C-alpha cells in the first residue's frame, strides 16, 4: 500500500474518518468497539447483493483451530464461508476500505498491521459459533496467531431483536458477558484477536457477516509473507 492512499478518502462527509476515530478510541481504551452504521451504505448494499446472489456451492463449511490441526467441528461452529479475493468490484471496495483502516490504525496505535484477510459467512437458522478467541498468544507465532485485530461487519437488512443471532463479547477471562451485538446492517465490530472471547448465538433467520483479520508480518529471512 503506497503513501498515496494513506489518507482516508470517502464521500467528503468525514463519515469514514469519524468511524476510524471511534474504532481507534475503542481499541485504545478497552480493546474492542462496536460502531453502528459504520459501513458506507453503498458498499454495504453491494456486498449484500454479492452474498445474496452467491450460489450456496461457493460457501464451504468453516473449520476451527490453528493451521496445522484445522478441523471441521459441528459442535463448535456451523457457519459456511467464502473467502474474499477481490473478484468483484464490491469486494475490491471492501478491501480498499479495510486497507485505509489498516493505515489509520497503524498510525494511531503503532500496531504494525501488515496484511488483511476476510471471508463472507452464512449462518443458517439455528447455526452458531461457540465462545472462542481468534488467535492465541504464542512464542513462535504460526499463521493464525499472527492475527492481531479481528473485524466483523453485518449484512442483514431489517434485523429484529427477536431474530437472535447476537455476537456476545466476553471479558478477557471469558466469564462475564460485556455486550450483546445485534448483527444489524452496517454495524462494524473490531477487537484484539487474542484478548476478546466472543460467541455467535443461533438466529431465527439467515445471518450474513464478513469476518476479517489484520495480521502482522511473518516473513522469514527475505521471504515475504503474502496474504492468503
Ligand atoms: C469468526 C466470528 C462472528 C460473527 O468468524 O471468527 O467470530 O459475528 N464471527 O460472524
Ligand atoms: Mn471469531
Amino acid at each position: 500500500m503506497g503513501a498515496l492512499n494513506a489518507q482516508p478518502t470517502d464521500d467528503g462527509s468525514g463519515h469514514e474518518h469519524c468511524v476510524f476515530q471511534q474504532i481507534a478510541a475503542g481499541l485504545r481504551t478497552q480493546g474492542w468497539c462496536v460502531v453502528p452504521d459504520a459501513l458506507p451504505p453503498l458498499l454495504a448494499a453491494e456486498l449484500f447483493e454479492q452474498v445474496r446472489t452467491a450460489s450456496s456451492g461457493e460457501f464451504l463449511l468453516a473449520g476451527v483451530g490453528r493451521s496445522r490441526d484445522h478441523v471441521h467441528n459441528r459442535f463448535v461452529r456451523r457457519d459456511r464461508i467464502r473467502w474474499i479475493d477481490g473478484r468483484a468490484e464490491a469486494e475490491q471496495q471492501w478491501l480498499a476500505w479495510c486497507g485505509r483502516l489498516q493505515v489509520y490504525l497503524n498510525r494511531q496505535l503503532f500496531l504494525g498491521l501488515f496484511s488483511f484477510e476476510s471471508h463472507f459467512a452464512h449462518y443458517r437458522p439455528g447455526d452458531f459459533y461457540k465462545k472462542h478467541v481468534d488467535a492465541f498468544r504464542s512464542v513462535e507465532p504460526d499463521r493464525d496467531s499472527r492475527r492481531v485485530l479481528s473485524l466483523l461487519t453485518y449484512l442483514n437488512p431489517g434485523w429484529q431483536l427477536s431474530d437472535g443471532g447476537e455476537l456476545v463479547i466476553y471479558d478477557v477471562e471469558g466469564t462475564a458477558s460485556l455486550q450483546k451485538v445485534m448483527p444489524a446492517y452496517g454495524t462494524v465490530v473490531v477487537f484484539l484477536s487474542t484478548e476478546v472471547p466472543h460467541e455467535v448465538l443461533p438466529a431465527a433467520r439467515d445471518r450474513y457477516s464478513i469476518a476479517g483479520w489484520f495480521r502482522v508480518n511473518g516473513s522469514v529471512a527475505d521471504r515475504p509473507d503474502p496474504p492468503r
Side-chain angles (χ1 to χ4, degrees):
M1 196 173 313
L4 279 178
N5 51 10
Q7 289 299 324
T9 51
D10 59 343
D11 58 5
S13 67
H15 178 254
E16 180 169 301
H17 190 72
C18 180
V19 167
F20 288 3
Q21 271 179 331
Q22 286 179 65
I23 293 171
L27 288 173
R28 197 180 277 124
T29 55
Q30 59 182 10
W32 57 275
C33 74
V34 179
V35 187
D37 298 316
L39 207 59
L42 203 60
L43 177 56
E46 285 171 358
L47 289 168
F48 176 59
E49 193 55 19
Q50 177 88 1
V51 84
R52 198 183 60 82
T53 56
S55 72
S56 58
E58 289 179 45
F59 280 77
L60 301 173
L61 211 53
V64 271
R66 306 192 196 197
S67 351
R68 246 163 302 169
D69 47 51
H70 190 82
V71 286
H72 299 286
N73 184 336
R74 50 182 272 103
F75 298 103
V76 177
R77 69 185 293 188
R78 297 215 172 154
D79 58 320
R80 285 166 166 76
I81 64 167
R82 205 209 86 194
W83 287 97
I84 292 179
D85 54 18
R87 72 183 77 168
E89 172 67 20
E91 295 186 16
Q92 283 171 29
Q93 297 287 328
W94 160 253
L95 295 172
W97 189 87
C98 296
R100 295 195 295 276
L101 177 59
Q102 176 177 318
V103 170
Y104 183 84
L105 294 177
N106 278 342
R107 284 190 173 172
Q108 298 292 317
L109 305 174
F110 309 106
L111 290 170
L113 307 175
F114 175 74
S115 65
F116 179 73
E117 60 195 359
S118 59
H119 62 59
F120 291 111
H122 175 204
Y123 293 76
R124 298 157 311 165
D127 285 348
F128 53 79
Y129 193 161
K130 296 284 189 204
K131 187 166 65 187
H132 65 282
V133 286
D134 286 346
F136 298 96
R137 274 163 272 165
S138 68
V139 188
E140 278 183 61
D142 64 0
R143 181 167 227 299
D144 287 353
S145 62
R146 290 193 301 270
R147 290 175 167 179
V148 173
L149 275 191
S150 303
L151 169 67
L152 298 168
T153 192
Y154 298 106
L155 303 170
N156 304 299
W159 198 268
Q160 305 285 315
L161 207 51
S162 56
D163 292 325
E166 290 99 340
L167 173 81
V168 188
I169 295 175
Y170 291 91
D171 67 351
V172 71
E173 283 82 32
T175 45
S177 134
L178 301 178
Q179 191 168 329
K180 276 188 178 181
V181 184
M182 232 169 75
Y185 199 66
T187 293
V188 166
V189 181
V190 184
F191 53 87
L192 297 172
S193 302
T194 56
E195 308 301 312
V196 180
H198 54 284
E199 165 175 23
V200 177
L201 300 179
R205 49 177 271 206
D206 289 293
R207 175 194 192 272
Y208 295 104
S209 58
I210 297 179
W213 297 273
F214 293 101
R215 298 161 65 240
V216 289
N217 193 356
S219 308
V220 180
D222 51 1
R223 203 153 45 84
D225 175 36
R228 193 182 290 259

